[in-house]
Amino acid sequence: MSISTAAPRLSFLDRSRTREGHDPGEALRDTVRLAQEVERLGYHRFWVSEHHSVPGVAGSAPTVLAAAVAGATSTLRVGTGGVMLPNHLPFVVAEQFGVLASLFPGRIDMGLGRSVGFTDGVRRALGRGKEAADDFGALLAELLGWLDGTRSDHPGVHAYPAEGAAVPAFVLAVNEGASIAAAAGLPLVVGDLRGRERLLRTVETYRDGFRPSARAARPYVIVSGTVAVARTEEAAHRLLVPEAWAMARARTTGAFPPLRPAGRIEPAAMSPKERRLYEEGLAGHLYGTPDRVADELSRVIGETGADEVLVTTSTYDREALRESLRLLAGAVGQAPVGAGPDR
């Protein structure tokens, strides 16, 4: 089956995962190539992420990578999922998005998160502490002020060419972050699909507290999560294996590794703790045949009232990943490129 024609838009988030036997540069080039495939399939957005000092993720500079993606595509909306605002000066972030929006008018999204570096060492290198996340609301207001031209605390200073640029802003959030998005009158991006009750509470908090703004007249909800599609249930499940293994290794060794092929992971010995974490990492995601995934996405959309679904899939087999995206687009009746309004 396919989701009805009134279904929310479908978008994709790529984390530029590295793979054993392949250098980080190849992971970044894979991201650009994947964006071209996503555009051809009619997906609405393609977003990239921010991670620092993680050997399994090559995407440490999302605005730079977004520029490469936008330059290699022509109709796709391109953005960040997200720039972690506590790691950066809002003035510089505004300038970066101003440059992107000037180079690719009408196609750039500014997804913003409140996370800081994952370890004490990374946070020290960034010059930030854990408490920086608590300043997210103020940092967001400062950033939007630079874009709107309303900052007055530095007379004569302007974030050119960002000032006045129409760059849609989105907040990646859970818990208190949802309240910040609501108070600012911005669209909300929320995941993951495994914690359904928590997701529903977050969406409810956001909608209840939403204040219309010049950037969004009504609440706009994007739900995000891992989705894997193949022609058989077993093949779809195997797409999840490399990432589940990497997460288990990260939580047992402290290092998030490059992805390994599923065929090397499944027969490998694991400690009891690693095995438990690995099995937990496989559970709760949306995976299966096109019909099954379409049914499950319909259920998610019905429960959350989502306006858009932001899919992410990390796996070693790049051709299987592209096939998953093709099958998913067909399953949900993805609209052709250019259909519908800009957001």
Side-chain angles (χ1 to χ4, degrees):
M1 67 166 289
S2 66
I3 296 176
S4 72
T5 55
R9 290 187 174 97
L10 190 66
S11 298
F12 192 78
L13 167 67
D14 190 55
R15 297 169 63 213
S16 302
R17 291 290 274 113
T18 59
R19 298 179 293 158
E20 282 191 345
H22 302 265
D23 65 33
E26 186 169 353
L28 296 171
R29 291 187 290 273
D30 280 344
T31 291
V32 175
R33 287 190 287 264
L34 193 62
Q36 293 171 322
E37 176 74 1
V38 161
E39 179 176 63
R40 187 185 69 78
L41 292 169
Y43 284 68
H44 185 53
R45 309 182 201 276
F46 187 94
W47 283 6
V48 296
S49 64
E50 175 182 342
H51 295 274
H52 299 285
S53 189
V54 179
V57 181
S60 57
T63 54
V64 176
L65 185 52
V69 169
T73 54
S74 59
T75 60
L76 193 66
R77 295 198 67 88
V78 177
T80 55
V83 164
M84 296 301 139
L85 194 51
N87 292 338
H88 309 281
L89 294 172
F91 179 71
V92 175
V93 174
E95 290 180 324
Q96 291 172 344
F97 278 96
V99 170
L100 284 170
S102 298
L103 289 170
F104 309 103
R107 295 181 54 210
I108 299 300
D109 297 327
M110 183 172 63
L112 304 164
R114 63 189 297 270
S115 296
V116 293
F118 292 141
T119 68
D120 288 339
V122 171
R123 288 189 288 271
R124 285 194 296 270
L126 290 168
R128 300 292 187 269
K130 284 185 178 180
E131 70 282 356
D134 299 332
D135 298 330
F136 178 69
L139 294 170
L140 177 63
E142 181 181 345
L143 171 59
L144 297 179
W146 288 119
L147 291 168
D148 297 339
T150 57
R151 296 297 300 180
S152 59
D153 47 344
H154 299 286
V157 178
H158 301 268
Y160 297 134
E163 189 173 299
V167 184
F170 302 77
V171 174
L172 285 65
V174 293
N175 299 330
E176 62 269 30
S179 298
I180 293 171
L186 295 177
L188 175 74
V189 184
V190 60
D192 64 47
L193 298 176
R194 292 181 297 175
R196 198 65 55 83
E197 291 185 5
R198 183 184 183 190
L199 185 152
L200 292 173
R201 287 196 302 270
T202 300
V203 171
E204 182 179 10
T205 296
Y206 167 70
R207 289 202 174 104
D208 287 347
F210 184 83
R211 300 176 186 174
S213 71
R215 293 178 175 272
R218 65 173 184 85
Y220 190 93
V221 175
I222 302 176
V223 295
S224 179
T226 294
V227 179
V229 190
R231 299 190 184 278
T232 67
E233 298 284 331
E234 180 183 7
H237 188 262
R238 293 189 86 233
L239 289 174
L240 303 174
V241 166
E243 185 73 6
W245 169 82
M247 289 296 296
R249 291 288 292 175
R251 294 176 66 183
T252 52
T253 68
F256 193 59
L259 298 175
R260 285 182 179 176
R264 287 186 55 204
I265 295 168
E266 291 167 322
M270 298 185 193
S271 69
K273 179 180 179 181
E274 187 176 355
R275 174 65 61 179
R276 175 179 58 81
L277 293 170
Y278 169 69
E279 297 292 344
E280 290 175 358
L282 289 170
H285 300 296
L286 269 61
Y287 75 91
T289 62
D291 283 353
R292 176 181 173 180
V293 170
D295 286 341
E296 292 188 357
L297 278 178
S298 289
R299 189 174 301 113
V300 170
I301 292 162
E303 291 175 352
T304 63
D307 299 281
E308 187 171 335
V309 178
L310 180 66
V311 171
T312 185
T313 314
S314 295
T315 195
Y316 184 91
D317 187 334
R318 302 300 295 187
E319 179 50 42
L321 173 57
R322 289 189 289 270
E323 175 72 358
S324 177
L325 290 169
R326 289 192 289 267
L327 292 173
L328 179 60
V332 304
Q334 182 65 47
V337 172
D342 288 341
R343 180 157 72 199

